[in-house]
Amino acid sequence: MIEILINIVLFFFMIVTAIAVLRMQRLFGVVMLSGVFSLLSALLFVTLDAVDVAFTEAAVGAGITTVLMLGTMALTAREEKLRSNFSPVPLIVVLVTGAVLIYGTLDMPHFGAADSPAQTQVANVYLTESPDDIGVPNVVTAILASYRGYDTLGETVVVFTACVGVLMLIGSFARRGVRLPRRRRRGPSS
Amino acid sequence: MFLAATIALFIGMIMVLVRLFAGPSLYDRVLASNSFGTYTVLFIGVLGFLNGRPDFLDIALLYALINFAGTIAVLKYFRYRTVGDTSPQKKGVKNTPGKLRDRGVLG
């Protein structure tokens, strides 16, 4: 009962934050609000007992994404451009997609149901046999690093490539974006 | 007992969120988002005790570290206008807070 109330309050905070993100024009405030939004969703994950997911959400959403957004703002603009013309197509697309997603959740098993496919198929095998197979006490680590080792290696390569690309974009161009207008203003005399 | 603490934390979160929405200055927003991170840490701690699993406290500590590093990054952006390389630039191009205010970055 208490958990349901906590979830309701957290969802209410998230909705309010999302509306504030939509209405705010100063992009710096939007970046701060999106950090708060992912902290709120991390809290929701914690109430669902998914502590590792929550920690990833907080580290990526509130930590790295905030820094990357700030670096992007250093390259581009700090104010949102206002567009007055209202076009109904994006709204319809969003509403239809949301309705389809909600319709998809109707077939999902209930939260914590014992007969859900996640509990009945391979979970028991992993839980009982991974200490003997791998010798690592943490089951999640055993699955990620050994059973799905090549998968994890591929993911790491993808994330590393993306990181290098983003760092090349933000790291070099940000400095040039700071310097260029100054150099022009000083003219050829310097 | 812990329920009362949870309610108090929610009230504090509402106050911080109001400050975050209203602003008006950017420093208000930085401070508000930093204190919201602190509220997250406290809330995870209280939630652990509420569910009878006090080992959530370790995770709350990690959140405090993330919150600290994020705030440092934001303030570094304020100071240097970039989050990447901040080695000294050309003479006269240093980003002092006064010049930043002239260019509309601050305030």
Side-chain angles (χ1 to χ4, degrees), chain A residues 43-137:
Chain A
L43 278 182
L44 266 179
F45 289 139
V46 170
T47 58
L48 289 172
D49 266 357
V51 195
D52 43 349
V53 183
F55 188 69
T56 312
E57 172 69 35
V60 173
I64 294 176
T65 310
T66 307
V67 174
L68 289 182
M69 292 277 195
L70 287 176
T72 314
M73 271 169 58
L75 287 176
T76 56
R78 286 185 294 276
E79 297 274 336
E80 181 184 351
K81 278 181 191 151
L82 278 181
R83 292 176 61 182
S84 56
N85 52 342
F86 174 77
S87 54
V89 179
L91 185 66
I92 293 173
V93 169
V94 166
L95 286 179
V96 168
T97 315
V100 168
L101 286 175
I102 290 174
Y103 175 71
T105 61
L106 294 181
D107 281 342
M108 282 169 62
H110 289 290
F111 173 67
D115 56 344
S116 69
Q119 310 290 340
T120 52
Q121 303 289 324
V122 288
N124 284 326
V125 182
Y126 282 140
L127 284 177
T128 50
E129 294 185 7
S130 75
D132 298 329
D133 278 358
I134 317 294
V136 177

Side-chain angles (χ1 to χ4, degrees), chain A residues 33 49 51 54 74 78 175, chain B residues 21 53 59 63 77 81 89:
Chain A
L33 279 175
D49 266 357
V51 195
R78 286 185 294 276
R175 298 272 297 183
Chain B
F21 299 154
R53 292 172 62 183
I59 300 153
Y63 276 72
Y77 169 78
R81 273 293 274 112
Q89 303 183 359

Side-chain angles (χ1 to χ4, degrees), chain A residues 2-3 5-6 9-10 13 16-17 20-21 24 26 28-30 32-33 36 39-40 42-43 46-47 49 51 54-56 58-60 62-63 66-68 70-71 73-76 78 170-171 174-175 178-179 182-183 185-186, chain B residues 3 6 10 13-14 17 20-21 24 26 29-30 32-33 36-37 40 43-44 47 50-51 53 56 59 62-63 66-67 70 73-74 77-78 80-93 95 99 103-107:
Chain A
I2 294 171
E3 283 205 1
L5 280 180
I6 288 175
V9 174
L10 286 178
F13 283 165
V16 171
T17 312
V21 164
M24 199 171 278
R26 302 202 72 169
F28 180 80
V30 172
M32 292 288 102
L33 279 175
V36 166
L39 280 179
L40 281 168
L43 278 182
V46 170
T47 58
D49 266 357
V51 195
F55 188 69
T56 312
V60 173
T66 307
V67 174
L68 289 182
L70 287 176
M73 271 169 58
L75 287 176
T76 56
R78 286 185 294 276
I170 287 180
R175 298 272 297 183
V178 170
R179 271 192 221 158
R182 299 249 148 196
R183 220 183 270 163
R185 204 182 301 158
R186 232 185 280 147
Chain B
L3 190 64
T6 311
F10 274 144
M13 276 184 188
I14 291 174
L17 281 180
L20 191 62
F21 299 154
L26 293 183
R29 296 216 163 96
V30 175
S33 112
F36 197 87
T40 312
F43 189 80
I44 291 173
L47 204 64
L50 198 65
N51 291 339
R53 292 172 62 183
F56 276 16
I59 300 153
L62 280 174
Y63 276 72
I66 287 182
N67 194 23
V74 170
Y77 169 78
F78 270 145
Y80 297 105
R81 273 293 274 112
T82 172
V83 285
D85 182 16
T86 54
S87 55
Q89 303 183 359
K90 273 184 170 180
K91 223 164 56 176
V93 201
N95 283 317
K99 283 181 182 171
R103 272 184 279 156
V105 182
L106 300 181

